[in-house]
Amino acid sequence: MKITSNTHRGGQKLIEAAPFPSTKADRVAELLNKCPAAAETPLVTIDGLADVDALWVKDERGRMNLGSFKALGAAYVIARHAAEASETPDQATLTGRTYVTASAGNHGMSVAAGARVFGANAVVYIAETVPESFADRLRAQKAQVVRHGADYAASMEGARATADENDWILLSDSSWDGYYDLPHTLMEGYLQMAAEATRQCPQAPTHIMLQAGVGGLAGAVAAYARSVWSDVPQIIVVEPDAAPALQASIEAGVCVFADGPDSVMGRLDCKEPSQIALNGLARDADSFLTLSDQEVIQHLPAMAVAGMATTASGGAGVAAIMNTDVCQALGIGQGARVLCIVSEGSE
């Protein structure tokens, strides 16, 4: 466990060229209301997992029947493109367009599902280590699956090269120098989850625990939470200690690559942050916390017993509040009201 206080809180951008995350939740809701599968996910009060007054968990495991909050991201971008391409959004089509991405999990499913719904093509690059069962899930959504490279970074390089060669649309859930427009819209899609949570919470939380890989979920939710609750909650970002990309960038004051071993928190095992998310979290988060694999894994059985079966990636935020050392270090006592997100279902 390592905790870094955010000395940039409320300040200027760390990456001047990159935008802050969007807070235009109404724009997202207007479009998603046209989708029959876009039902609200529940906020569940869970007793007994942590020594706090209230633990509220936003359960994203059933989001749009795709099993993860990421259903709100790439599919939202594609739906936005379809709406912009047609004067009659209900009949919008993107026939002839191809979206290409790299994925180690749920982002690829969102790209594939969005493309299928609107008549576009989807090509998803996956690394050699990604299970074939995930490749089959992508194919069930009519995506073309390409295995490329030993890890996610190599898959992304393959996807970028293919996009350039074929004039396809590269749709990543991260952002980097010069690549901001699509990931900014993609993160905007995550605001649906944040807007629902702020409506569902019976009162403002005192603490919000947000797990992060490249930071898209954490950046979007933190930005929206600040727009609704201002400085009331303390916002804590949770990363694997094998991939402390956001924490290291906050400490350095610039976007850095944080190399390390593989983590069982595979969806969070990202060595370089999204620049948009980094800007937002430098402004909005109070602390950055890293946990070891064991510090997360040990709490998963109790989460499952409580009805929140998930992966180490999906439950890292809940695991953090279950850790008594974390609570003591952050001053989280029995009177705390804590909001967490279970971001995906169990595998």
Side-chain angles (χ1 to χ4, degrees):
M1 178 188 75
K2 177 183 176 183
I3 297 173
T4 297
S5 295
N6 181 15
T7 58
H8 306 280
R9 172 80 174 86
Q12 301 298 311
K13 297 175 180 177
L14 285 191
I15 311 296
E16 187 57 39
F20 284 119
S22 172
T23 55
K24 296 179 180 178
D26 289 347
R27 194 171 102 108
V28 182
E30 180 183 5
L31 189 60
L32 288 180
N33 283 340
K34 302 178 186 298
C35 176
E40 206 169 82
T41 58
L43 184 80
V44 182
T45 300
I46 299 182
D47 298 324
L49 284 188
D51 191 15
V52 295
D53 184 59
L55 175 58
W56 300 316
V57 177
K58 182 66 169 161
D59 183 1
E60 288 294 299
R61 296 175 300 170
R63 178 66 73 176
M64 297 174 70
N65 300 320
L66 292 179
S68 162
F69 80 98
K70 288 202 172 181
L72 292 167
Y76 170 70
V77 174
I78 296 170
R80 179 65 58 194
H81 286 177
E84 292 167 353
S86 175
E87 295 180 0
T88 56
D90 291 339
Q91 300 177 7
T93 180
L94 296 173
T95 302
R97 292 198 196 188
T98 298
Y99 293 87
V100 60
T101 195
S103 180
N106 299 308
H107 169 66
M109 287 293 293
S110 188
V111 174
R116 178 183 57 77
V117 168
F118 293 102
N121 301 312
V123 180
V124 182
Y125 276 64
I126 61 174
E128 297 164 0
T129 53
V130 174
E132 186 63 19
S133 59
F134 175 65
D136 289 339
R137 290 177 62 203
L138 289 168
R139 294 185 187 106
Q141 293 289 340
K142 308 303 182 185
Q144 177 186 345
V145 178
V146 179
R147 286 198 178 270
H148 183 90
D151 55 23
Y152 171 80
S155 296
M156 177 54 73
E157 285 306 309
R160 290 174 70 171
T162 300
D164 290 341
E165 291 169 5
N166 296 284
D167 198 27
W168 291 347
I169 299 170
L170 179 68
L171 182 47
S172 174
D173 58 353
S174 188
S175 60
W176 52 81
D177 289 344
Y179 183 74
Y180 300 128
D181 288 348
L182 293 185
H184 190 260
T185 301
L186 184 146
M187 283 180 63
E188 185 177 85
Y190 298 160
L191 295 177
Q192 180 69 18
M193 168 179 53
E196 290 173 11
T198 58
R199 290 195 303 270
Q200 292 166 331
C201 281
Q203 60 189 122
T206 59
H207 300 80
I208 305 176
M209 316 296 287
L210 298 170
Q211 61 266 35
V214 297
L217 177 154
V221 174
Y224 192 77
R226 291 294 181 215
S227 75
V228 174
W229 290 317
S230 189
D231 290 332
V232 174
Q234 288 188 44
I235 297 177
I236 297 99
V237 178
V238 183
E239 296 178 280
D241 62 2
L246 289 159
Q247 186 183 69
S249 296
I250 290 295
E251 291 174 348
V254 294
C255 186
V256 301
F257 184 87
D259 201 4
D262 291 341
S263 169
V264 297
M265 292 174 267
R267 313 280 194 261
L268 309 183
D269 191 5
C270 303
K271 311 304 187 186
E272 190 169 6
S274 165
Q275 293 185 5
I276 298 171
L278 178 59
N279 271 350
L281 292 168
R283 179 191 63 185
D284 298 324
D286 293 287
S287 303
F288 292 79
L289 164 70
T290 54
L291 295 176
S292 69
D293 287 352
Q294 184 55 38
E295 285 174 315
V296 174
I297 291 171
Q298 66 181 336
H299 295 299
L300 294 180
M303 290 183 215
V305 170
M308 284 291 158
T310 185
T311 64
S313 299
V318 178
I321 199 61
M322 294 173 67
N323 186 312
T324 55
D325 290 338
V326 168
C327 291
Q328 183 176 4
L330 291 171
I332 302 175
Q334 291 181 344
R337 304 180 303 273
V338 184
L339 172 63
C340 298
I341 297 170
V342 166
S343 56
E344 65 178 10
S346 56
E347 294 177 328

